[in-house]
Amino acid sequence: MDRMLSAIDHEGNSIIHLAAHQESPPSTPPGVLEMMWEVLWFKRVQYDSYPYLWHLQNSDGKTAKQVFETNHASLREKAEETVRALANTVLIVSVLIATINFAAIFTVPGGFDQTTGEAIFLKNRRWEFSLLMFYLAGGLFSSLFTMGTLLVIIFLRFETEDFYVSLPCYYVINIISIFYSAVLAIVACCQALIVQKVVITDFRPLVVLFFIYGLMALVLMETSYVIFDYAYHLIRYCLCYRGQES
């Protein structure tokens, strides 16, 4: 293994140069996830190699990083377009959810007491009404948090290093935050029906929360398991990395 890591071919290419040419397996989804796996594989080979090979130039006068940038320029541009389009779409959804929750907080069911200014249901249905406010506030906060992280993604420079750690982290954070904002908005709607006694149920409101939470979790895992798989391998490689001495 040490001989393979330190070997240089007749064109001056090290194992890091060869990793820069390596393509993702056919099972890797195209686009941004493919670019993430490409960067992860290149970084793994680079960190397992000797540090003096990191800046070694081949017969064309290029380092391994320069070869990687050249071979993945089109893929990086395609991934950037995909991420920006997805971020703009999710941003619209998060703005809509935030707007609905913000409006619902100030137009509470039952209205307000004209004398004291307090919500009417706050007197005789305090527990149910407090849960409704909690769900609305949680959905609003999650939506605003999603909007902030999405703006960070939109203004990224989308360099190669961004696809290694920062972009996957923002990706996972956005998935979780938009998931919670959607779940809390749906649960707040159900809780509003319970407060107004439109829905008569003997179950506690938390049962509705857990049911909707489980349903949304299944949808989330079905559509986003690939990015969580990438995060798992990234953390695993970072923890297991020992590196090579100079």
Side-chain angles (χ1 to χ4, degrees):
M1 180 177 177
D2 292 337
R3 183 182 301 177
M4 179 185 65
L5 291 175
S6 60
I8 300 175
D9 63 9
H10 63 281
E11 295 181 353
N13 293 314
S14 64
I15 190 174
I16 313 179
H17 288 86
L18 300 179
H21 290 283
Q22 180 72 28
E23 297 181 357
S24 299
S27 59
T28 304
V32 58
L33 293 175
E34 182 180 0
M35 185 63 185
M36 290 180 183
W37 282 108
E38 289 281 352
V39 176
L40 179 62
W41 171 249
F42 177 76
K43 290 291 185 180
R44 175 65 191 276
V45 176
Q46 182 184 28
Y47 290 152
D48 283 342
S49 302
Y50 293 96
Y52 73 88
L53 296 175
W54 294 7
H55 304 288
L56 178 68
Q57 296 181 352
N58 59 11
S59 57
D60 295 330
K62 293 183 178 180
T63 62
K65 184 176 181 180
Q66 292 172 341
V67 173
F68 184 90
E69 295 283 353
T70 303
N71 293 339
H72 296 80
S74 59
L75 179 60
R76 183 175 60 83
E77 293 177 358
K78 181 180 178 181
E80 179 180 353
E81 294 176 0
T82 303
V83 171
R84 290 187 184 276
L86 181 61
N88 289 327
T89 303
V90 179
L91 182 61
I92 295 175
V93 175
S94 61
V95 169
L96 290 176
I97 296 177
T99 303
I100 294 173
N101 289 329
F102 183 82
I105 290 177
F106 294 98
T107 55
V108 296
F112 297 92
D113 191 332
Q114 299 298 327
T115 304
T116 61
E118 296 181 352
I120 295 177
F121 283 126
L122 189 60
K123 298 178 180 179
N124 51 7
R125 301 181 65 87
R126 175 177 292 272
W127 169 246
E128 292 84 354
F129 187 80
S130 299
L131 278 179
L132 175 61
M133 291 294 103
F134 172 77
Y135 295 147
L136 291 175
L140 178 61
F141 174 78
S142 298
S143 300
L144 294 177
F145 186 79
T146 304
M147 292 166 57
T149 52
L150 285 173
L151 291 176
V152 174
I153 292 179
I154 292 175
F155 290 108
L156 275 179
R157 300 179 62 182
F158 288 96
E159 297 182 351
T160 302
E161 298 292 337
D162 294 331
F163 289 91
Y164 182 49
V165 176
S166 60
L167 187 59
C169 289
Y170 289 134
Y171 204 114
V172 172
I173 291 173
N174 276 303
I175 290 175
I176 297 175
S177 59
I178 194 66
F179 165 73
Y180 275 106
S181 62
V183 168
L184 290 173
I186 297 174
V187 174
C189 180
C190 298
Q191 183 65 23
L193 297 177
I194 295 176
V195 170
Q196 301 180 81
K197 294 185 178 181
V198 177
V199 177
I200 306 299
T201 176
D202 296 331
F203 298 98
R204 294 181 179 273
L206 291 179
V207 175
V208 181
L209 173 63
F210 288 135
F211 174 76
I212 299 177
Y213 181 85
L215 183 62
M216 295 290 291
L218 291 177
V219 177
L220 176 68
M221 295 304 298
E222 178 67 22
T223 57
S224 306
Y225 74 96
V226 179
I227 187 64
F228 286 102
D229 181 53
Y230 173 86
Y232 162 75
H233 284 87
L234 176 62
I235 297 174
R236 177 184 175 187
Y237 291 158
C238 292
L239 294 177
C240 297
Y241 166 65
R242 292 296 181 269
Q244 296 284 352
E245 297 180 356
S246 302

